[in-house]
Amino acid sequence: MRCTTTEDVYDWPEGAPYDGGTTVTWNVPGYGSHATDDDSTDLPTSLCGFSWSKEEGRRVKGLPECHECLREVQLGAERPRRNWE
């Protein structure tokens, strides 16, 4: 919980695979869909820490099925800020 609307809600841990940038969703057969940063390498690593080769999965539209990845995407999302009166 924040004390004010100007304080950060969450700080990414050191070495996190994502830092508030754009994410993409990958479906990996047998392992569901996971989110990675848009600049993933030859061995994509999801926001929950799961890794696979690009040949094992394919990019899909929509939010990931993985609860941990979904939580990280939601925490890193830009939200409009309002002035509280």
Side-chain angles (χ1 to χ4, degrees):
M1 182 172 182
R2 296 180 285 187
C3 294
T4 69
T5 58
T6 58
E7 292 181 52
D8 290 338
V9 176
Y10 184 78
D11 289 323
W12 293 101
E14 186 68 30
Y18 166 74
D19 193 15
T22 304
T23 60
V24 294
T25 302
W26 283 76
N27 184 40
V28 184
Y31 298 97
S33 61
H34 296 269
T36 68
D37 65 345
D38 199 16
D39 297 327
S40 57
T41 61
D42 289 334
L43 188 64
T45 300
S46 68
L47 303 184
C48 68
F50 178 67
S51 296
W52 64 95
S53 71
K54 286 187 175 181
E55 292 78 28
E56 292 179 288
R58 64 182 176 88
R59 289 171 74 157
V60 295
K61 293 185 180 197
L63 293 170
E65 298 168 346
C66 171
H67 297 293
E68 290 81 7
C69 287
L70 180 59
R71 180 193 70 222
E72 298 298 313
V73 169
Q74 291 171 332
L75 286 171
E78 281 293 322
R79 292 182 174 80
R81 299 202 183 264
R82 298 186 329 187
N83 291 330
W84 296 95
E85 298 176 12

